[in-house]
């Protein structure tokens, strides 16, 4: 048997793997570059402010302080804005894109599955039993919004925030370089802030959830689609 042919055949799998990694790396860079600078600034401000607060202030004290900042308008606004992060949004977008771009329907389906699995793993297995604001501080110590069903446990991370950032990251990457990216990321941030305002989560739950959601959004687009460029 020709030894050179054997060696060549043994090197092919490694060569193909390296080529595959190279393509994934390039696609990832393409996706990063498809996000407008202003969009990075919007999320960057949210990220830096949240990071500083999470590091410098105890999460219980921080929630007590932010809970004092309420008004009838904000109560009504965040009561409904929080539904932006409902898991049913994945189903709605899958149905919509079945009639617009079928491949994107698959992206949202995969994004939804990844979000469900990762969120369940983190909240119900790895960080199971961590108290939410009401469970830790008590209803009497907090301003609560009428009509909002309160949860007590499995606080970390925020599932609604992961969902919102996954969805709106995918939309931002689909509408590459489009000004609508400002809207998508702003809506994701609003969904995350609503979870703190409604005392469903601490800020650290939302902060970490936003980062996880962005990663899931990028992964969904990397493996199933390229961003669509819109002038």
């Amino acid at each position: 048997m020709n030894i050179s042919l054997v060696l060549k055949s043994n090197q092919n799998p490694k060569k193909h793997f390296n080529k595959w990694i190279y393509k994934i790396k390039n696609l990832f860079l393409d996706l990063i570059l498809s996000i407008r600078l202003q969009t990075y600034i919007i999320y960057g401000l949210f990220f830096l402010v949240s990071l500083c607060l999470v590091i410098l202030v105890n999460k219980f004290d921080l929630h007590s302080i932010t809970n004092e900042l309420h008004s009838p308008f904000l109560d009504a606004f965040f009561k409904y804005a929080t539904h932006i992060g409902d898991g049913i949004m994945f189903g709605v977008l899958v149905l919509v894109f079945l009639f617009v771009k079928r491949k994107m329907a698959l992206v949202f389906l995969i994004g939804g599955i990844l979000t469900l699995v990762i969120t369940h793993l983190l909240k119900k297995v790895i960080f199971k039993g961590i108290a939410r604001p009401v469970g830790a501080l008590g209803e009497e110590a907090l301003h609560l919004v009428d009509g909002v069903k309160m949860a007590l446990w499995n606080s970390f991370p925020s599932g609604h925030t992961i969902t919102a950032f996954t969805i709106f990251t995918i939309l931002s990457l689909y509408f590459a370089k489009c000004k609508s990216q400002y809207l998508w990321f702003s809506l994701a941030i609003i969904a995350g802030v609503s979870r703190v305002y409604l005392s469903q989560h601490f800020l650290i739950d939302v902060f970490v959830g936003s980062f996880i959601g962005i990663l899931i959004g990028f992964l969904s687009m990397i493996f199933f689609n390229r961003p669509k460029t819109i002038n």
Side-chain angles (χ1 to χ4, degrees):
M1 182 180 292
N2 192 319
I3 296 178
S4 63
L5 291 177
V6 174
L7 291 174
K8 185 177 180 180
S9 63
N10 288 334
Q11 291 174 353
N12 283 337
K14 182 178 180 180
K15 182 178 179 180
H16 289 314
F17 178 76
N18 290 337
K19 188 176 181 180
W20 181 79
I21 292 296
Y22 179 77
K23 288 182 178 179
I24 293 298
K25 179 182 177 181
N26 284 342
L27 179 53
F28 185 76
L29 291 174
D30 288 343
L31 291 174
I32 290 177
L33 293 174
S34 72
I35 300 292
R36 298 172 68 94
L37 175 61
Q38 295 88 339
T39 306
Y40 280 116
I41 293 174
I42 291 173
Y43 178 71
L45 290 173
F46 169 77
F47 182 90
L48 290 175
V49 171
S50 299
L51 180 61
C52 290
L53 291 174
V54 166
I55 291 176
L56 297 176
V57 187
N58 175 279
K59 74 173 185 177
F60 304 111
D61 294 336
L62 178 59
H63 191 81
S64 296
I65 294 170
T66 56
N67 187 250
E68 294 296 324
L69 306 174
H70 58 81
S71 70
F73 170 77
L74 292 177
D75 285 359
F77 177 76
F78 284 118
K79 179 179 180 179
Y80 295 103
T82 196
H83 294 297
I84 296 172
D86 286 349
I88 195 173
M89 291 294 293
F90 280 113
V92 171
L93 289 167
V94 168
L95 290 176
V96 169
F97 276 94
L98 278 175
F99 299 97
V100 178
K101 189 178 182 69
R102 290 187 178 181
K103 201 170 184 180
M104 283 303 299
L106 179 60
V107 172
F108 281 108
L109 177 61
I110 296 302
I113 293 173
L114 288 175
T115 297
L116 177 64
V117 172
I118 292 174
T119 300
H120 182 83
L121 179 64
L122 293 173
K123 293 171 71 72
K124 302 295 180 65
V125 179
I126 299 177
F127 301 104
K128 182 180 180 180
I130 294 180
R132 297 187 186 224
V134 173
L137 302 174
E139 291 187 7
E140 66 283 351
L142 298 170
H143 167 76
L144 302 179
V145 178
D146 291 337
V148 176
K149 184 178 179 180
M150 304 305 299
L152 302 178
W153 310 105
N154 301 326
S155 181
F156 184 85
S158 168
H160 274 70
T161 304
I162 294 175
T163 297
F165 273 90
T166 299
I167 288 173
F168 294 120
T169 296
I170 292 173
L171 286 173
S172 294
L173 295 173
Y174 176 68
F175 293 102
K177 291 296 184 179
C178 182
K179 290 183 178 180
S180 66
Q181 288 180 351
Y182 309 157
L183 172 64
W184 304 134
F185 264 81
S186 296
L187 288 175
I189 292 172
I190 288 172
V193 171
S194 75
R195 305 309 288 168
V196 177
Y197 185 90
L198 298 175
S199 286
Q200 297 283 20
H201 287 282
F202 295 102
L203 179 60
I204 190 172
D205 306 333
V206 170
F207 171 64
V208 175
S210 71
F211 191 70
I212 294 173
I214 290 173
L215 288 178
I216 294 175
F218 269 89
L219 284 174
S220 301
M221 288 294 286
I222 283 174
F223 289 106
F224 291 96
N225 204 32
R226 288 183 177 274
K228 178 180 178 182
T229 302
I230 296 180
N231 296 324

